[in-house]
Amino acid sequence: NAGVTQTPKFRVLKTGQSMTLLCAQDMNHEYMYWYRQDPGMGLRLIHYSVGEGTTAKGEVPDGYNVSRLKKQNFLLGLESAAPSQTSVYFCASTRTSRETQYFGPGTRLLVL
Amino acid sequence: GNSVTQMEGPVTLSEEAFLTINCTYTATGYPSLFWYVQYPGEGLQLLLKATKADDKGSNKGFEATYRKETTSFHLEKGSVQVSDSAVYFCALSLNTGNQFYFGTGTSLTVIP
């Protein structure tokens, strides 16, 4: 039981490049979330999904897209990376919206 | 709206000192309340939670009581250890809507 895993752990991009962050969970959770963590700002919700094939915007969705084609996977895409997207990205999943969230180990992204 | 406010850090304590990290919330409904801990280089993990008024969550010597009258969920520990050095996040979720709301985090450093 691996819990929540994230790929890659670290990435450096040049401005304008694209990439996809992968989140996978093996707990059969319906809800999945993508957050970014920046110094002094805590966690900010980018997008979330309440089930396979569904996605919704969070607090800071601009510049990101997501897909949930399979229940266990939640992908976060950056189409044209900007330095403002330099951050640590966390994925989380939960069975229902009132229960404990389980977090992945994070992806550090540096955009030059 | 829904939000969580927690005391700003960083907090530095000597080993065996008493810890309090304040957390207050604003919620449009009846929330569940959580404390998460983030150790250096890791994702967040649940420390404790409470789902209704006057509930006390506890784990690893940490405690927090859900106080509806003061809309608070303060984290306490009677005697901190060096291994408690981490960032602590207060969070809430509602049974309406699908999001979690996090505070900005409080960094704790415990010195021997």
Side-chain angles (χ1 to χ4, degrees):
Chain A
N1 189 340
V4 179
T5 58
Q6 292 183 233
T7 309
K9 288 184 170 48
F10 177 70
R11 185 76 182 269
V12 179
L13 288 179
K14 294 181 179 178
T15 297
Q17 288 185 318
S18 63
M19 78 164 293
T20 299
L21 282 67
L22 170 64
C23 175
Q25 53 94 4
D26 60 4
M27 295 172 283
N28 201 34
H29 286 167
E30 291 291 338
Y31 294 71
M32 296 187 74
Y33 304 81
W34 275 107
Y35 297 92
R36 60 178 290 173
Q37 184 179 31
D38 301 293
M41 305 194 72
L43 290 173
R44 292 185 291 170
L45 182 64
I46 305 171
H47 286 280
Y48 64 97
S49 168
V50 300
E52 182 178 321
T54 74
T55 63
K57 294 180 179 180
E59 180 186 356
V60 289
D62 294 342
Y64 305 94
N65 57 75
V66 288
S67 64
R68 184 101 180 265
L69 299 179
K70 295 183 178 181
K71 186 177 184 178
Q72 63 267 34
N73 295 337
F74 195 30
L75 279 63
L76 178 70
L78 287 73
E79 290 186 348
S80 180
S84 61
Q85 294 178 303
T86 293
S87 187
V88 181
Y89 292 85
F90 287 101
C91 176
S93 72
T94 183
R95 196 170 67 92
T96 74
S97 61
R98 282 180 72 81
E99 296 187 21
T100 303
Q101 284 195 322
Y102 294 84
F103 284 81
T107 294
R108 289 189 176 274
L109 177 64
L110 175 61
V111 183
L112 301 176
Chain B
N2 303 300
S3 66
V4 174
T5 302
Q6 60 182 104
M7 66 183 282
E8 293 195 15
V11 175
T12 302
L13 294 174
S14 297
E15 206 166 22
E16 299 184 1
F18 184 85
L19 169 70
T20 298
I21 301 178
N22 291 336
C23 171
T24 57
Y25 67 89
T26 302
T28 54
Y30 195 27
S32 292
L33 301 173
F34 306 82
W35 276 102
Y36 285 85
V37 59
Q38 184 182 30
Y39 298 105
E42 299 183 9
L44 281 70
Q45 55 185 275
L46 180 71
L47 180 60
L48 53 83
K49 67 179 182 181
T51 57
K52 61 183 186 295
D54 299 325
D55 266 2
K56 178 185 284 189
S58 62
N59 186 26
K60 299 181 181 179
F62 291 89
E63 294 183 340
T65 301
Y66 189 142
R67 301 288 188 197
K68 187 179 179 183
E69 64 276 13
T70 55
T71 62
S72 65
F73 193 54
H74 303 322
L75 182 68
E76 296 182 337
K77 186 175 186 182
S79 176
V80 293
Q81 305 300 312
V82 173
S83 57
D84 294 326
S85 298
V87 181
Y88 293 82
F89 291 89
C90 186
L92 71 83
S93 69
L94 298 165
N95 57 1
T96 56
N98 302 304
Q99 299 186 27
F100 287 70
Y101 300 86
F102 286 85
T104 54
T106 301
S107 175
L108 169 67
T109 300
V110 180
I111 54 177

